[in-house]
Amino acid sequence: MTHIPEQTDDKPRFSFEFFPTKTPQGEEKLREVHRQLAALQPDFFSVTYGAGGSTRDGTRHIVEAIHQAGSAVAPHLSFGGSSEADILTLLNDYKAMGIARLVALRGDIPSGTGATSSYYYANELVEFVRRHTGEHFHIEVACYPEIHPKSESYDSDLHFFKKKVDAGANGAITQYFYNADAYFYYAERCQDLGIGIPIVPGIMPITNYANLARFSANCGAEIPRWIRQRLQAYGDDADSIRDFGIEVVSQLCDALLDGGAPGLHFYTMNQSGPVSAIWHNLGLSAR
Ligand code: FAD
């Protein structure tokens, strides 16, 4: 098994991602999911930011609630169509709130808007945050072991990832994948380029085949044929899909941690069940 040398942190780091909810009922449910997952003592939670800033207030609201409940939390942030002044206000709000970590992204562009903002790419957002807030925030950025779907080539995507690191990113979280070799190969190429920040695998539990297939097609994540075949064969049998998903994803996480990955970031989809089961399988409860 390949080992990833020279990560800056040697203690594995675990984080759980939420997306903002739209209704009071959804928020109450999310607070309960947060309570359940906080009991696992992750290093931090993160909250996504909708395309073009569409969830700006929702993200800020959930971030504040998680922070007040006593958990470390990292808001996701992107320029989208927002002005510099708006983004600066949000950064200062987060700073005043006591938030110390951000996930800086270009964000998905809402269709029909075009690339209007002058701060469009994630490396430019990282530069902006550093210029205005110095070293206050620990900045995470995104990266893509199976390569961003709009990238010209493998090498160009690596090149642009390095620009984010050179701009001041402290860590990276990957797009999800189900093939550990893609991650290890990518981590080695990053190392060849002198990228020394921790590259934490993003983990997507499997709970619903149709949603996973649609989402994966959009974000360029490959579902290996054998996994696809099994999931398709289960049809509407949600229990079998859940059990198979937990088994496959637990094995993936095990292989990643065994091979030297510096932690795991779970895309929880605002559910505690699958993540808790995987956590238990990995024997992390006792950490
Ligand atoms: P960038 O790093 O800016 O890259 C975007 C594309 O442009 C890549 O193909 C890259 O190779 C290329 N590129 C980069 N810099 C340049 C440059 N200077 N010149 C030319 N080309 C360049 N989306 C959301 O909307 N909200 C979220 O909260 C969110 N959270 C995410 C969290 C994680 C961990 C991940 C992996 C993804 C997340 N996404 C989110 C999705 C993400 O916004 C999309 O994948 C988006 O298309 C790219 O964002 P980025 O920050 O990686 O972009």
Side-chain angles (χ1 to χ4, degrees):
M1 177 67 71
T2 312
H3 278 263
I4 302 168
E6 280 200 65
Q7 296 291 347
T8 52
D9 253 346
D10 44 15
K11 188 169 158 270
R13 192 209 78 184
F14 298 96
S15 47
F16 297 147
E17 180 174 308
F18 291 147
F19 55 84
T21 54
K22 294 195 178 111
T23 61
Q25 294 86 336
E27 184 178 331
E28 193 38 54
K29 189 169 160 255
L30 186 57
R31 283 176 188 268
E32 180 54 29
V33 171
H34 168 255
R35 272 191 285 278
Q36 289 161 358
L37 291 179
L40 304 182
Q41 300 187 313
D43 293 273
F44 67 96
F45 288 85
S46 82
V47 184
T48 63
Y49 190 77
S54 57
T55 68
R56 184 168 58 213
D57 294 341
T59 300
R60 194 186 173 291
H61 179 67
I62 299 293
V63 164
E64 195 163 21
I66 293 175
H67 179 68
Q68 282 174 354
S71 297
V73 53
H76 294 209
L77 183 65
S78 58
F79 254 97
S82 301
S83 67
E84 284 187 30
D86 283 349
I87 294 297
L88 199 48
T89 302
L90 192 55
L91 283 173
N92 285 330
D93 278 0
Y94 283 141
K95 219 174 138 180
M97 223 187 262
I99 301 300
R101 193 187 281 264
L102 288 176
V103 183
L105 302 144
R106 181 194 71 177
D108 282 325
I109 303 166
S111 52
T113 57
T116 50
S117 165
S118 53
Y119 289 93
Y120 181 81
Y121 291 110
N123 67 297
E124 293 166 317
L125 176 56
V126 174
E127 278 164 24
F128 181 87
V129 175
R130 286 285 174 246
R131 188 159 68 247
H132 291 280
T133 62
E135 294 302 313
H136 174 80
F137 291 105
H138 179 107
I139 305 178
E140 307 280 348
V141 290
C143 66
Y144 303 83
E146 295 181 329
I147 298 309
H148 186 269
K150 296 282 163 52
S151 280
E152 272 179 28
S153 69
Y154 198 100
D155 284 340
S156 80
D157 205 31
L158 272 175
H159 166 79
F160 289 124
F161 174 40
K162 185 163 189 313
K163 280 187 85 161
K164 298 194 269 198
V165 178
D166 292 345
N170 304 99
I173 301 170
T174 76
Q175 183 57 278
Y176 69 88
F177 55 86
Y178 295 104
N179 179 350
D181 287 343
Y183 169 80
F184 290 121
Y185 181 80
Y186 184 78
E188 283 175 6
R189 298 295 71 75
C190 289
Q191 223 210 347
D192 293 344
L193 288 177
I195 295 172
I197 62 171
I199 299 174
V200 172
I203 303 297
M204 179 70 89
I206 299 172
T207 53
N208 176 308
Y209 174 63
N211 287 350
L212 184 72
R214 194 179 55 247
F215 207 50
S216 302
N218 287 336
C219 72
E222 188 176 80
I223 307 176
R225 183 174 153 78
W226 67 277
I227 295 182
R228 196 178 276 276
Q229 292 286 334
R230 290 301 278 166
L231 291 172
Q232 275 171 342
Y234 288 131
D236 294 334
D237 181 354
D239 288 349
S240 295
I241 292 175
R242 193 202 54 223
D243 291 350
F244 174 72
I246 287 169
E247 185 191 343
V248 166
V249 175
S250 299
Q251 285 168 3
L252 172 69
C253 293
D254 224 2
L256 290 166
L257 292 174
D258 266 6
L264 300 170
H265 175 84
F266 288 92
Y267 298 106
T268 70
M269 305 307 286
N270 291 2
Q271 294 177 38
S272 61
V275 174
S276 301
I278 295 164
W279 191 268
H280 175 76
N281 285 348
L282 294 173
L284 290 171
S285 317
R287 85 189 181 102

